[in-house]
Amino acid sequence: MSTKLRLFVFGVIAVAVALLATHVPGDLEAHWIHFVLWILICVISESMVVPVVSGEGSTSMASTANLATAMLWGAAPAMWVCALSTLAGELLLVRKKPLVRVLFNAGQTAITLWAATAVFALLGGPSGGLVSFSAMVPIVGLAATYLLVSRALVGVAVAWSTDRGYLKVLREDWFHAERLIEDAAAFLLAPVMVLSYRVIQYLGVILFFAPLYMIYLSSRRYIELRRTQDQMVQRERMAAMGQMAAGIGHNMRQQLTAISARAQMILKASEQGSHDQAPRHAQIVLEQSHALKRLADSLMDFAQTRLKIERVDINNLVQRSIELARTQKQLNEVEWDIHLGNRVPEMQADPVQLQQVFLNLLINAADAMQEVPAGHKLLTVTCEWSEESQRVVVKVRDTGVGIASATLARIFDPQFTTKTTGHGFGLSTSYTIIENHGGKITAESRPGEGSTFIVTLPLQGPGVWR
């Protein structure tokens, strides 16, 4: 921890202690049991933490409970209840964070609620909270101040601890569309929680939290499932890289041999004082160097582990997948028939995962044609834009042995394979990737007539066909 960060953290803690010391609840004797119960409610809210799908950060119900406490009980009780619940939740029960960080979080929570309830009062809300008030006038001011002050204080600590700019931290970590939607949802739930309590007291709070807790459990299971799927995709990618390693190494050796041979010719010609063939040799060296670079770039892209949705030229991605697949020896005797549409628009997708699907389909097609005589091995790849369905359609067709109808119904099942050396995760992983992109993958085949795999993808990327 840097000196300036240490000074800031302990400064926040000191200010919070001073504010808490000067804001002791005056009606503690009459309402202490309620304050204890609200501490428990806030701790439970703090425990309902759900990581976002991307894996970067998390969201919880803490903001909802903190705002509801401020609306109901006013500044002093809210500051103490939320500060103590943060201490209990993060230090003892829920997250078990380091003491300094817990004290800072509790301190910034107390300061945030002090500022938010002050704005609440300035906008016409009662300083004693809504327990004795019949209208909820300044909720927007309370919520906005809570958001701004909390983000401002935590943003300084994050910026100084990660050596990032303060505005960059605010923009990247909090003030972006996804996080603002989550904050808005939490703040909009706070008045509902207040109304539930005011109508039927703590039974209302239980009824408020019960469905949210069910959603919380469901969300955690969904996140865990997505992580398991991501791990399966990554394992399949690494297995595919291992299977392609020998072919890639052979291809690179051939290109390096050509470069080395031409370099030796240039050197020999230079010693003899003859430079007539130098441009031709240099051109071949340059072409082979570019081929090596394309292969290296494809390998680096394929080795990416992080999901990254971006604009993708699908024709270019299919072409690069074909170039990478051509390094495999089972494709040496294969004739190619490639048709890439001229008007295929760019789409939103993860190019690494889609390339994994295309490589899997191409290598499977080559394996299906192993028993076919040379001269009859034809691999047809098409990529086109369907105006009717508004989808990109990629087809991979082989002239292999075909797939029996009983087998065709199971080819996308995990661990199902007809190969003696297969593991059965290739097509099931491809199915998961395409489905996560909002698309579909299907297969058509008849024994002895080859197979066609059809990948259909929307332009908007993941989440369209849910």
Side-chain angles (χ1 to χ4, degrees):
M1 187 184 294
S2 64
T3 302
K4 64 179 181 180
L5 178 57
R6 189 178 292 108
L7 289 173
F8 175 73
V9 168
F10 285 105
V12 168
I13 294 172
V15 171
V17 169
L19 287 173
L20 289 169
T22 56
H23 288 76
V24 178
D27 51 357
L28 186 60
E29 184 175 347
H31 291 117
W32 70 269
I33 186 65
H34 293 289
F35 297 158
V36 170
L37 290 173
W38 276 90
I39 289 174
L40 180 60
I41 290 169
C42 290
V43 169
I44 293 172
S45 301
E46 185 78 27
S47 71
M48 293 170 64
V49 179
V50 179
V52 297
V53 175
S54 65
E56 298 180 352
S58 59
T59 182
S60 76
M61 289 292 297
S63 297
T64 298
N66 291 350
L67 282 170
T69 306
M71 292 177 195
L72 278 169
W73 302 105
M79 290 166 62
W80 277 92
V81 165
C82 297
L84 290 174
S85 67
T86 301
L87 285 172
E90 296 192 357
L91 187 62
L92 302 175
L93 303 178
V94 183
R95 302 186 189 179
K96 298 182 179 179
K97 295 179 179 178
L99 179 60
V100 172
R101 188 173 173 184
V102 172
L103 291 174
F104 171 79
N105 286 342
Q108 70 87 13
T109 298
I111 295 172
T112 297
L113 285 166
W114 170 77
T117 50
V119 172
F120 182 77
L122 285 174
L123 293 176
S127 59
L130 295 176
V131 167
S132 58
F133 190 58
S134 58
M136 299 172 66
V137 182
I139 290 176
V140 174
L142 176 71
T145 306
Y146 182 95
L147 170 68
L148 294 174
V149 175
S150 175
R151 299 296 186 255
L153 292 174
V154 178
V156 173
V158 172
W160 288 353
S161 63
T162 58
D163 292 325
R164 290 189 289 163
Y166 180 63
L167 294 179
K168 185 178 181 181
V169 167
L170 293 179
R171 183 176 64 253
E172 293 181 352
D173 291 13
W174 290 296
F175 290 99
H176 55 83
E178 182 180 351
R179 190 59 188 255
L180 289 173
I181 290 172
E182 293 171 357
D183 288 335
F187 296 151
L188 290 172
L189 283 171
V192 180
M193 187 176 181
V194 171
L195 290 173
S196 299
Y197 174 78
R198 294 188 68 189
V199 172
I200 47 178
Q201 297 293 301
Y202 290 103
L203 178 59
V205 176
I206 293 173
L207 293 175
F208 171 82
F209 267 107
L212 292 177
Y213 187 72
M214 295 174 190
I215 295 172
Y216 156 74
L217 292 178
S218 177
S219 298
R220 289 197 68 89
R221 293 192 186 99
Y222 171 72
I223 296 295
E224 290 169 2
L225 176 61
R226 285 297 302 270
R227 285 179 174 172
T228 301
Q229 289 180 342
D230 291 342
Q231 291 169 1
M232 184 176 70
V233 169
Q234 176 61 12
R235 283 197 297 270
E236 171 61 23
R237 185 182 302 138
M238 292 300 103
M241 287 189 69
Q243 292 172 358
M244 293 191 299
I248 292 170
H250 176 72
N251 190 269
M252 294 180 73
R253 189 184 301 113
Q254 286 182 324
Q255 292 166 336
L256 287 171
T257 299
I259 292 172
S260 176
R262 295 296 169 171
Q264 291 177 31
M265 290 178 184
I266 293 173
L267 182 60
K268 186 175 181 180
S270 177
E271 292 173 349
Q272 295 174 351
S274 174
H275 303 287
D276 295 343
Q277 298 296 318
R280 179 169 174 271
H281 297 324
Q283 182 63 34
I284 292 175
V285 168
L286 187 61
E287 290 173 357
Q288 294 299 316
S289 298
H290 287 163
L292 274 174
K293 183 180 183 300
R294 287 196 302 271
L295 183 58
D297 289 344
S298 296
L299 279 173
M300 290 179 66
D301 289 342
F302 192 58
Q304 294 275 347
T305 59
R306 183 176 173 179
L307 179 68
K308 185 178 181 182
I309 303 300
E310 59 186 62
R311 295 189 69 82
V312 175
D313 181 340
I314 193 69
N315 276 341
N316 181 263
L317 184 63
V318 169
Q319 188 64 54
R320 283 191 287 133
S321 302
I322 291 172
E323 290 176 4
L324 196 55
R326 274 178 164 158
T327 63
Q328 303 307 295
K329 65 179 182 179
Q330 60 262 54
L331 285 156
N332 287 344
E333 298 178 340
V334 171
E335 296 180 17
W336 292 82
D337 186 16
I338 303 170
H339 301 277
L340 303 179
N342 295 325
R343 297 184 178 180
V344 180
E346 290 187 339
M347 58 183 294
Q348 292 287 333
D350 176 10
V352 177
Q353 291 198 358
L354 288 188
Q355 186 179 54
Q356 181 177 345
V357 173
F358 297 147
L359 282 170
N360 182 261
L361 295 180
L362 293 171
I363 292 173
N364 281 354
D367 290 340
M369 294 187 288
Q370 288 297 296
E371 299 178 6
V372 176
H376 296 276
K377 297 180 178 182
L378 177 62
L379 186 49
T380 304
V381 181
T382 64
C383 180
E384 55 190 17
W385 167 248
S386 172
E387 290 286 353
E388 181 180 352
S389 64
Q390 294 291 294
R391 300 289 187 267
V392 174
V393 181
V394 179
K395 296 182 181 180
V396 178
R397 185 179 187 280
D398 63 69
T399 55
V401 295
I403 306 172
S405 57
T407 302
L408 192 63
R410 300 183 58 197
I411 58 173
F412 295 112
D413 293 348
Q415 294 185 299
F416 178 79
T417 181
T418 58
K419 301 178 184 178
T420 55
T421 59
H423 48 67
F425 285 108
L427 285 175
S428 65
T429 300
S430 297
Y431 186 91
T432 298
I433 291 172
I434 297 303
E435 189 178 58
N436 287 344
H437 277 76
K440 292 182 179 180
I441 179 171
T442 58
E444 300 173 354
S445 183
R446 289 182 180 179
E449 297 182 11
S451 304
T452 302
F453 283 82
I454 305 167
V455 174
T456 308
L457 293 162
L459 293 184
Q460 294 87 350
V464 178
W465 290 355
R466 297 284 174 157

